[in-house]
Amino acid sequence: MYRSAAPKLSLSISAAQNVRPTLSLKSPGLPRTPISPSAASPTAKRFSSLQVPSYNYSNSCASKSILKKQPGGHNAVPEKRIQFKGTPTVHCVTPIENPEEYYGSYVKLSREERRWMVQSDRRRYSVTDCAAVQSDDTSVAIVEKNTQKSSAQIHFLENVTADLNAYRGVHPILALESHQESLAKLVNKALLHLPVASGDTTTAHGTISLTNCSQPRRKPDFISVTRGPGMRANLFVGLDTGKALSVAWQIPFVGVHHMQAHLLTPRLVSALSHNQDNTPTTIPSPITPEFPFLSILVSGGHSILVKSASITDHEVMASSADIAIGESLDKSAREILPDDLLTNAKNTMYGKILEQFAFPNGPIDYANYRPPTKRGDEVIKRETPWGWSLTTPFANTRHLQFSFSSIASAVTKIVAQKKKAGETLSYDERVDLARESMRVCFEHLASRTVIALEALRAQPERQEIKTLIVSGGVAANRFLMTVLRSFLDVRGFGHVDIVAPPPYLCTDNAAMIGWAGIEMFEAGWRTDLGVRALRKWSLDPQADDGGVLGPNGWQRV
C-alpha cells in the first residue's frame, strides 16, 4: 500500500523587470513618435480599460557604438571579482574551538579586556536575548540582559576585518565582499553560543534545533541590526540577513542607529559589571550613566558632541565642519610614520599606530603634559626646535563646532616643504610632529567640550552634567583621555566623571548594536520588515529627518 506523496510548498520570489524601449544608436528614423497601441490579446486578462500610448525612441544621427569589445572572443565574460590580497583578521571575545575551520588569523583580547565577560547568575528571571549583526566591520554578537539584576552578558562577539592594507584605507568593494563572505559564517558560529534551552525557558522563548548540536538552544527574543548611517550596500548585507532571521524564527526585528549604539555603550559596560555582584537582591541596580549626560563620539567617520536626555533624545551640540578627527589622525599618520612602519602595518588603524609611535613608553611619555589654563592660552602657538608649529582651530572663538582638516593639511604642508628643500624628517622630528598633531586635535576637542559644559550650566534650568562619555574608535587613545581630564580639572569641571568603554567596545562591534536594540526593545520599539538601509540618519530630533525616531518604519507596541 502506497501513501500519496505530501504536497510540497514552494515560494518563488522574482523581481519584475520593466521592459524599456530600445535606444538605437544608428538609426536614420524619425524623431520620437507615439506608436498606436496594439490590439489586446483575446486571452489576456484585462486589468484596466485605460490604454496609454508608448513611445519608440530613435536617434537620427549616425554614430558608432560606444560599447567596447571584450577580449577573448564574442562570448567571453570578463572576471570582475576582486580577490583579497591577504587573509581577513578575526577579532574575537569568545574562543575559536577549531581554528582550522576559519579562514583567517584571529586576535584574542587581553585579559584586562576580557574581564568584562563574566558569567551570569544561574538563576534566570525575566531575560531578554538579542542576536545582533553589525555591518560596518563584519560582526555578530549574542547579548543577554537579566532584568531582575539589570545585568548583561555577552555570550558571543566576533569581528572580521578585511585586509585592506594595500589600499591604506577603506576599499568599498572589498569591504562589501568581506561582509558577504563572512557574515553567514559568523551567524552560523554564533548559534552554538545561544543559551541552552531549559525547562523554565522553553515555553517563554521557544527553541532552536541545530544540526551539529544535540541540545536545543533558546531562541532570541528579537534580532537587532544596524540600519544606518553608512554605506548602504554594506548595510544591506546585515539588514537583509537580520530580516531573514526575523522571518525564519518569527521574532521581532529592530533596526538600530549606529551612533546611538555608540552613545549607549557605557550603559552596556555598566550592565556587564553588575554580573560581578552575586549579592541576592529584589531591587535591580541602576544602569549608569543615568540621563542626562554629555558624550563625545569620535571615530574615523564622526566627531560630534551630544547631550543625551533619553535613549532616543540626543541633542547634537557640536559637529565637524569638515572631516572627522579619526580621518585627520589617519591622514597625519600616513605623512608622519616611516615607510617601513606603514608597509608592515597589520591593519589600517593608522591613528592607533601613530599613538604607539609617538608614545612608545605609554603615559610616561606625556606625564608632564599641562593644558592651557584659560582660553587666551589656547591662541599661543607652541614653537618647536624644528621651525614649525601647528595652530589650534577656532582658538580665538567660542563657536561650538569642530574642524580637523586644517591640522592634517598643516602636517602635509610641513612634510612637503621638507621634501621640496631636499631634506628628510629625522626620527625625532617625526615623533615631535606626531605628538603635536595629536595634542592640537585633542585640545581642540577638549576646548569645545568645555564651552558646551559652560553653555549648559548657564541655561536657566542650569543643567549640571555629571558624566562625560567618550566613545568611538579614537576613544581608545590614552593621550586623549589625559588631555580631556586635564582640561576639565583646570577649567572648573573637575567634578565631571569621564567614562569610556574598554577598547574592544570603543570600536564598531555588534555587542553595542545588540545593547542598543535591547534598550529600544524594552521601550516598546520595533522595526517594520520593509525598511531600507539609510546612508544619512541624524541623531538630533530637531534635525530635518527627525533624528532616531524620524525615519519611517518604527512601530510602537
Side-chain angles (χ1 to χ4, degrees):
M1 180 176 181
Y2 296 92
R3 293 185 179 180
S4 59
K8 301 292 189 299
L9 178 63
S10 175
L11 174 64
S12 299
I13 302 175
S14 175
Q17 297 182 0
N18 294 325
V19 180
R20 302 177 60 187
T22 302
L23 175 63
S24 174
L25 295 178
K26 295 179 64 177
S27 172
L30 298 174
R32 188 177 72 177
T33 55
I35 298 177
S36 300
S38 59
S41 169
T43 59
K45 293 184 179 180
R46 191 177 184 86
F47 291 96
S48 173
S49 60
L50 178 63
Q51 296 186 359
V52 181
S54 59
Y55 293 88
N56 178 35
Y57 294 85
S58 61
N59 191 334
S60 59
C61 301
S63 62
K64 295 182 179 180
S65 173
I66 61 174
L67 300 178
K68 295 182 179 180
K69 293 182 179 180
Q70 298 293 342
H74 178 71
N75 296 324
V77 178
E79 176 59 51
K80 296 183 179 180
R81 178 177 173 78
I82 299 178
Q83 301 292 339
F84 286 113
K85 294 184 180 295
T87 57
T89 302
V90 180
H91 303 273
C92 65
V93 170
T94 50
I96 294 179
E97 292 86 354
N98 299 312
E100 294 79 8
E101 73 183 17
Y102 246 81
Y103 42 89
S105 59
Y106 69 95
V107 180
K108 287 188 176 181
L109 298 176
S110 66
R111 183 175 182 180
E112 180 180 358
E113 292 171 330
R114 287 178 58 87
R115 66 189 176 91
W116 300 101
M117 301 297 100
V118 292
Q119 296 298 320
S120 66
D121 192 342
R122 288 180 179 273
R123 294 170 295 175
R124 298 294 182 185
Y125 302 98
S126 176
V127 178
T128 300
D129 291 330
C130 167
V133 180
Q134 156 67 14
S135 300
D136 192 4
D137 291 331
T138 310
S139 180
V140 176
I142 297 174
V143 182
E144 175 183 339
K145 181 183 178 184
N146 185 322
T147 56
Q148 181 72 17
K149 295 176 58 178
S150 293
S151 62
Q153 181 179 0
I154 299 177
H155 293 284
F156 179 88
L157 171 59
E158 286 189 19
N159 306 333
V160 175
T161 304
D163 181 5
L164 304 176
N165 290 341
Y167 303 94
R168 295 189 176 181
V170 176
H171 191 295
I173 297 178
L174 287 183
L176 176 60
E177 289 193 349
S178 177
H179 297 325
Q180 293 170 334
E181 295 177 3
S182 307
L183 186 53
K185 290 184 178 182
L186 280 182
V187 172
N188 192 47
K189 184 177 179 64
L191 296 181
L192 292 173
H193 295 267
L194 284 169
V196 176
S198 58
D200 58 339
T201 60
T202 300
T203 303
H205 294 263
T207 61
I208 298 174
S209 297
L210 306 178
T211 57
N212 52 351
C213 182
S214 59
Q215 293 179 303
R217 303 289 172 159
R218 201 170 70 212
K219 184 188 297 183
D221 290 294
F222 68 98
I223 299 294
S224 179
V225 184
T226 307
R227 185 184 175 189
M231 293 184 290
R232 296 178 74 236
N234 293 1
L235 290 170
F236 270 123
V237 177
L239 197 67
D240 291 342
T241 301
K243 289 180 182 180
L245 293 174
S246 173
V247 172
W249 291 341
Q250 291 295 286
I251 57 177
F253 171 75
V254 178
V256 171
H257 192 299
H258 175 81
M259 290 185 287
Q260 176 199 24
H262 272 299
L263 297 176
L264 298 178
T265 299
R267 292 171 58 83
L268 166 62
V269 176
S270 173
L272 290 171
S273 67
H274 291 170
N275 267 324
Q276 299 175 353
D277 184 9
N278 295 321
T279 305
T281 179
T282 57
I283 302 176
S285 303
I287 293 178
T288 57
E290 297 180 343
F291 298 101
F293 56 82
L294 196 65
S295 297
I296 306 174
L297 178 53
V298 280
S299 66
H302 307 287
S303 296
I304 56 175
L305 184 64
V306 184
K307 188 194 75 173
S308 299
S310 70
I311 62 172
T312 58
D313 186 357
H314 307 282
E315 177 189 353
V316 178
M317 301 189 67
S319 60
S320 179
D322 35 64
I323 64 176
I325 185 173
E327 183 178 351
S328 178
L329 292 173
D330 284 349
K331 287 184 175 181
S332 297
R334 287 193 288 267
E335 297 288 347
I336 297 171
L337 296 175
D339 290 338
D340 59 335
L341 199 57
L342 287 171
T343 303
N344 298 324
K346 296 181 180 180
N347 53 55
T348 57
M349 299 173 66
Y350 298 122
K352 181 178 180 180
I353 301 174
L354 186 69
E355 179 190 7
Q356 296 169 346
F357 176 76
F359 307 111
N361 301 310
I364 297 177
D365 288 334
Y366 47 84
N368 295 325
Y369 169 77
R370 297 294 180 269
T373 56
K374 55 183 182 296
R375 288 275 304 131
D377 295 340
E378 296 178 24
V379 184
I380 302 174
K381 291 184 179 181
R382 296 194 181 185
E383 299 298 332
T384 66
W386 314 104
W388 48 257
S389 61
L390 299 178
T391 303
T392 303
F394 300 155
N396 56 351
T397 73
R398 294 182 61 86
H399 188 44
L400 264 179
Q401 192 173 44
F402 300 123
S403 176
F404 298 101
S405 63
S406 62
I407 302 172
S409 298
V411 171
T412 301
K413 185 177 180 180
I414 291 171
V415 175
Q417 288 177 342
K418 289 283 185 178
K419 291 181 179 179
K420 186 176 181 180
E423 303 175 6
T424 58
L425 291 174
S426 66
Y427 181 87
D428 290 340
E429 186 174 3
R430 290 179 186 273
V431 170
D432 284 349
L433 187 55
R435 292 180 176 182
E436 276 297 285
S437 62
M438 282 190 286
R439 180 191 65 80
V440 173
C441 278
F442 298 159
E443 286 189 354
H444 175 48
L445 195 71
S447 172
R448 303 302 106 174
T449 302
V450 168
I451 293 173
L453 288 169
E454 291 173 345
L456 291 173
R457 190 165 58 183
Q459 290 180 355
E461 58 271 22
R462 191 177 174 81
Q463 299 185 38
E464 193 67 35
I465 300 296
K466 299 180 180 179
T467 305
L468 174 65
I469 304 298
V470 188
S471 191
V474 183
N477 190 302
R478 297 298 93 190
F479 182 48
L480 167 61
M481 307 306 291
T482 298
V483 172
L484 286 173
R485 182 71 272 167
S486 301
F487 253 77
L488 295 184
D489 288 345
V490 300
R491 299 293 182 89
F493 293 96
H495 64 282
V496 176
D497 293 329
I498 298 179
V499 177
Y504 77 96
L505 290 177
C506 282
T507 54
D508 296 341
N509 64 89
M512 72 178 191
I513 302 299
W515 177 259
I518 286 176
E519 297 235 42
M520 294 295 287
F521 185 84
E522 290 183 338
W525 293 106
R526 310 289 186 268
T527 303
D528 183 78
L529 289 173
V531 300
R532 297 176 61 81
L534 298 173
R535 185 175 69 88
K536 293 184 178 181
W537 188 5
S538 66
L539 275 170
D540 199 322
Q542 300 302 317
D544 292 339
D545 64 358
V548 173
L549 297 178
N552 295 330
W554 284 114
Q555 300 171 340
R556 193 72 180 268
V557 297

